Amino acid sequence: MELLDYSRANGLLTRYGIKSVKSEYVKSAKEALTFSKGSPIVLKALTDKALHKTKSGLIILNLATEKEISDAFSALSKRAEKFRPYRILAQKMASNGIEIIIGGKTDQQFGKMILIGLGGIYVETFKDVAMRTCPITKHDAESMLHQLKSSKVIAPDQKTESMVADLILKTSRLFYDSRLTELDLNPIILHDGTYDAVDLRLIQ
Amino acid sequence: MKTKYADLTHIMSPKSVAIIGASDNPDKIGHVIMQNYIDEGYEGKIYPVNLNSTGQILGHKAYKRVRDIKEPIDLAVIAIPAEAVPAVIDECGKAKVKGAVVVSGGFAEVGNAKLEEKLAETANKYSMPVIGPNCLGVMDPRTRIDTLFLPTYKIDKPKIGGVSFASQSGAVGSSVLDMINNEGFGLARFISYGNAAVVDEVDILNYLSDDNDTRVVVFYIEGVKRGREFIEVAKKATMKKPVVIIKGGVTEAGATAAHSHTAALAGSHEAYEAVFRQYGFTTAKDIRDLLNFAKIFETQPLTTGNRVAIITNGGGTGVLATDALYQHELRLAELSKDTEKRLRKEMPQIVNIRLPLDLVGDADDKRYSDALSALEVDPNVDAFMVIALFQTPGADSRVASTLIQYGTQMKKPLVVVSMGGSYTKAHKSMMESAGVPVYDSPGDAAASLSALINYSRYRKGM
């Protein structure tokens, strides 16, 4: 089992037309500051050893000033120490919106499967998810969305619905074509008629 | 991995049967099986095989070994101690037996996986389809084969019909089989396949999907051995006929060690559910669902519309039925203007002309018939739930026969709800044996209509 490095994961997503939020590895507070160019950023410590970055305190959100960034960088480095090896990723702060998860897993019996659900911190609370075996059709993608209790929360209008269905299709193609065995895009934030994949976990 | 699917024709419709382990001793399973073949009136040839045979068993010439028979044998039913089974399979292979059922237990289910592997290897060497081991085997009321070692007086044998039932578990299999007769529907094939060492659920689903006598497949599984092949066969099967499925073992431990959220959310049970949904299975959550769904699928036409007309002779039951519709993603139909006018003319003043249509307590067969004939042609109505409470003065056998007339001839699906004691039960069985599904509660009826509609939509690609 190998967790794909962020830039490789990002590259793979781009090839299948999936957008993710702008990100860069940083080695110092100074590099993080340069990356931010005055707009708010997020710092994340990436490690194979912790699944829940939020619970382990490995994400610090909404950093705007030089002081905020440098304080956060030191705090994060300290917390990440016990999860070595790790790298710190700077990300543009994504807009607020509805968080969803699109994921893939390899089932022992049925092979690769694709999943969608209400995402972010609610994933395991509500377990509101729909799943299909790969490959899927457009009809499958739409019916997955309709199956969710949160269907109207995720896609209140036709435009969002086709955007999300398309995103499920693209992700399932990526997953089906690749050597990946597991995949988490969680959360993907839906906002202002578009979306941003904020956190990527691609495993091969 | 097997590339094609096993042909079960010779197992289900054999012209000749060797019963290996047949005995004159009533305590032996082989005795019960052979006696059942005789009692059922099986018309093919029966060859009892027993190493200690003394001329005749149950009036048939006995053989020490399969090879001594020297006649073509379609099916061998094997009921001997486990250790001896692989060698007997080998003898069957040499004698060109076309298929076998191994009812004997004592294999992988008690940790004896090696012996089971040996059985499978031997069968595969001869490309011989083998059902079992550790199973009840097969029953077919048309060809009158019955390898079940259950004494006939203990089990209600179903009549001939269109529902085929396959079960990994013999216990679930035999109890459902016993209940089928009381639910009023008929059986096409019964297959209890136990450990699935050779013939597995994929082979069975494939066979039943091609089988013309099978209109509905009902399946109890605990797992699938060949996932991708299962999907391939399922795609074909569910486009031909409804497949009602129930999976045992839904709880799962170990999901906590997952590497991703997706893996944690998507356990093996969720994967099965996803496959069932994606490929058009009708999932039953318990045995009651299983029987309820089989019943509606066997007799009623498909419809993709979910507007249900409720006709009742009891107000309160109509209200409960309406609630049940909405709990199962169905809707109460609205009458068209034409139907309203027609009903106003035909119904007594006391009847409110709206759905649910309460024909009131003195409703007789004429009133049911008038209501149904008006609603049958209403384009706003897709399906019917007719409540007939037989405790009322007007409801009698004539109401039941009216419902039979509409329930068997209409192009729209109809289900009946009748709750009550022995008088009701008599009418229930009258309607069911004529091909009208009757349910004990509006909830069961609504769940069954919903299953029918969901399946119809799948078939139409909706």
Side-chain angles (χ1 to χ4, degrees):
Chain A
M1 178 213 108
E2 177 205 344
L3 183 67
L4 240 62
D5 165 77
Y6 193 89
S7 35
R8 272 181 74 197
N10 202 33
L12 199 53
L13 256 55
T14 312
R15 236 191 294 154
Y16 282 83
I18 302 163
K19 288 185 296 172
S20 57
V21 84
K22 194 166 181 251
S23 315
E24 205 175 285
Y25 284 119
V26 291
K27 292 199 189 70
S28 64
K30 200 171 155 234
E31 280 186 22
L33 186 65
T34 315
F35 172 79
S36 90
K37 288 198 190 106
S39 66
I41 61 163
V42 179
L43 289 179
K44 294 179 177 175
L46 300 188
T47 159
D48 284 4
K49 301 201 177 124
L51 174 58
H52 290 276
K53 283 193 280 288
T54 314
K55 279 189 203 157
S56 318
L58 299 181
I59 297 185
I60 306 182
L61 300 172
N62 209 8
L63 310 165
T65 67
E66 185 177 350
K67 180 168 182 341
E68 280 170 355
I69 291 175
S70 87
D71 287 355
F73 192 91
S74 332
L76 204 57
S77 311
K78 210 165 154 191
R79 283 178 209 160
E81 213 32 49
K82 62 176 166 179
F83 298 112
R84 286 181 76 93
Y86 69 90
R87 290 171 89 178
I88 290 181
L89 188 77
Q91 256 184 344
K92 292 285 180 191
M93 185 74 193
S95 309
N96 283 330
I98 298 291
E99 299 192 346
I100 62 167
I101 175 175
I102 298 182
K105 77 156 237 171
T106 307
D107 182 77
Q108 228 183 318
Q109 279 309 327
F110 301 111
K112 289 190 178 183
M113 309 200 67
I114 187 89
L115 166 148
I116 177 171
L118 196 59
I121 55 172
Y122 299 120
V123 163
E124 277 161 44
T125 313
F126 294 127
K127 294 198 169 82
D128 183 20
V129 296
M131 198 159 61
R132 299 288 184 274
T133 59
C134 297
I136 59 166
T137 62
K138 185 160 174 273
H139 177 268
D140 289 326
E142 287 163 357
S143 84
M144 286 171 82
L145 200 46
H146 294 157
Q147 187 189 329
L148 298 177
K149 290 192 192 79
S150 53
S151 154
K152 287 282 169 235
V153 177
I154 292 173
D157 52 66
Q158 189 53 49
K159 197 170 157 267
T160 317
E161 188 180 313
S162 20
M163 180 181 80
V164 177
D166 184 55
L167 194 54
I168 301 172
L169 257 181
K170 282 175 177 163
T171 314
S172 94
R173 276 192 205 122
L174 179 161
F175 186 56
Y176 190 60
D177 294 349
S178 68
R179 279 162 47 215
L180 299 175
T181 54
E182 274 178 50
L183 165 154
D184 261 357
L185 307 183
N186 180 38
I188 298 170
I189 300 182
L190 308 176
H191 64 92
D192 311 310
T194 180
Y195 69 88
D196 279 309
V198 176
D199 221 346
L200 323 173
R201 245 184 122 71
L202 277 62
I203 295 168
Q204 71 178 24
Chain B
M1 194 190 292
K2 288 181 284 183
T3 49
K4 67 182 192 50
Y5 308 116
D7 179 7
L8 307 183
T9 315
H10 295 295
I11 295 180
M12 299 308 299
S13 313
K15 292 193 183 69
S16 52
V17 178
I19 297 169
I20 300 168
S23 167
D24 267 326
N25 178 354
D27 293 337
K28 300 279 186 195
I29 282 174
H31 175 91
V32 181
I33 294 173
M34 177 140 178
Q35 188 66 58
N36 283 352
Y37 266 86
I38 296 165
D39 291 350
E40 295 292 317
Y42 171 69
E43 286 173 351
K45 293 203 168 105
I46 303 176
Y47 304 107
V49 178
N50 192 319
L51 266 181
N52 313 312
S53 73
T54 51
Q56 288 217 326
I57 294 176
L58 287 168
H60 288 253
K61 178 178 174 3
Y63 299 84
K64 280 196 189 311
R65 293 183 176 280
V66 178
R67 63 165 181 260
D68 302 337
I69 299 172
K70 301 199 188 332
E71 294 286 336
I73 302 158
D74 281 350
L75 171 66
V77 182
I78 301 173
I80 56 175
E83 310 77 59
V85 170
V88 165
I89 294 275
D90 193 63
E91 283 184 34
C92 289
K94 286 195 179 110
K96 301 203 164 36
V97 173
K98 297 195 182 84
V101 171
V102 180
V103 301
S104 322
F107 294 86
E109 81 280 5
V110 292
N112 213 344
K114 277 249 162 62
L115 192 64
E116 189 160 318
E117 270 167 41
K118 203 167 166 206
L119 184 164
E121 266 169 34
T122 315
N124 289 332
K125 189 167 84 184
Y126 298 100
S127 301
M128 191 201 312
V130 174
I131 290 182
N134 184 34
C135 70
L136 288 175
V138 298
M139 180 198 271
D140 185 330
R142 283 182 178 79
T143 58
R144 296 184 189 173
I145 59 147
D146 177 0
T147 71
L148 278 60
F149 48 90
L150 307 169
T152 38
Y153 69 93
K154 284 192 171 180
I155 182 163
D156 291 345
K157 296 249 163 118
K159 60 179 183 170
I160 292 176
V163 179
S164 281
F165 178 42
S167 175
Q168 196 157 357
S169 150
V172 172
S174 55
S175 51
V176 169
L177 199 58
D178 196 12
M179 287 189 279
I180 283 178
N181 204 33
N182 292 303
E183 291 294 334
F185 60 87
L187 185 76
R189 326 272 186 198
F190 171 78
I191 304 173
S192 146
Y193 60 95
N195 297 2
V198 182
V199 168
D200 65 8
E201 40 289 312
V202 178
D203 299 310
I204 293 169
L205 186 57
N206 182 62
Y207 168 77
L208 293 176
S209 94
D210 290 339
D211 174 31
N212 289 330
D213 292 329
T214 300
R215 290 198 300 277
V216 183
V217 178
V218 175
F219 229 116
Y220 171 85
I221 64 167
E222 277 162 18
V224 161
K225 289 195 172 174
R226 296 180 283 164
R228 282 282 155 178
E229 287 89 340
F230 183 75
I231 288 174
E232 282 315 305
V233 172
K235 275 187 199 166
K236 174 182 82 168
T238 55
M239 285 311 283
K240 284 185 176 177
K241 54 193 80 170
V243 182
V244 182
I245 198 156
I246 184 167
K247 183 179 176 301
V250 293
T251 51
E252 191 199 14
T256 44
H259 301 304
S260 64
H261 290 286
T262 304
L265 289 165
S268 132
H269 172 61
E270 285 78 7
Y272 275 100
E273 280 203 326
V275 166
F276 295 159
R277 187 189 285 266
Q278 190 172 358
Y279 299 104
F281 288 88
T282 299
T283 314
K285 61 181 187 317
D286 52 30
I287 300 286
R288 200 170 73 157
D289 268 2
L290 201 78
L291 296 165
N292 284 342
F293 297 169
K295 205 153 71 169
I296 193 170
F297 279 125
E298 194 199 10
T299 58
Q300 296 303 301
L302 299 182
T303 181
T304 55
N306 69 346
R307 299 165 304 173
V308 180
I310 297 173
I311 300 172
T312 178
N313 61 349
T317 325
V319 175
L320 289 175
T322 308
D323 289 342
L325 291 187
Y326 286 88
Q327 281 157 4
H328 291 90
E329 291 166 352
L330 305 171
R331 286 164 48 197
L332 190 62
E334 284 172 30
L335 298 175
S336 70
K337 288 281 167 264
D338 286 352
T339 311
E340 268 179 19
K341 264 189 238 155
R342 183 171 160 188
L343 285 174
R344 189 63 284 162
K345 240 185 276 167
E346 291 170 351
M347 292 290 138
Q349 273 308 314
I350 191 172
V351 172
N352 273 320
I353 307 304
R354 61 177 168 83
L355 294 175
L357 186 63
D358 183 0
L359 301 176
V360 305
D362 64 344
D364 57 6
D365 57 317
K366 168 93 174 35
R367 211 175 292 167
Y368 271 100
S369 175
D370 288 345
L372 280 162
S373 90
L375 285 162
E376 179 184 6
V377 293
D378 190 326
N380 293 351
V381 173
D382 300 312
F384 289 87
M385 187 193 295
V386 182
I387 299 161
L389 304 173
F390 283 94
Q391 296 83 357
T392 62
D396 55 22
S397 303
R398 285 170 295 186
V399 167
S401 48
T402 299
L403 296 182
I404 289 172
Q405 186 199 326
Y406 284 92
T408 53
Q409 289 167 19
M410 252 196 310
K411 297 227 159 52
K412 297 173 181 178
L414 179 148
V415 297
V416 173
V417 177
S418 283
M419 299 169 275
S422 50
Y423 186 75
T424 297
K425 285 211 180 86
H427 287 94
K428 179 183 159 160
S429 92
M430 179 178 153
M431 288 186 277
E432 292 205 314
S433 52
V436 179
V438 183
Y439 296 98
D440 295 331
S441 75
D444 281 1
S448 306
L449 276 172
S450 184
L452 181 86
I453 290 161
N454 282 332
Y455 173 67
S456 311
R457 287 179 173 171
Y458 175 82
R459 280 275 289 264
K460 285 261 154 87
M462 290 165 74

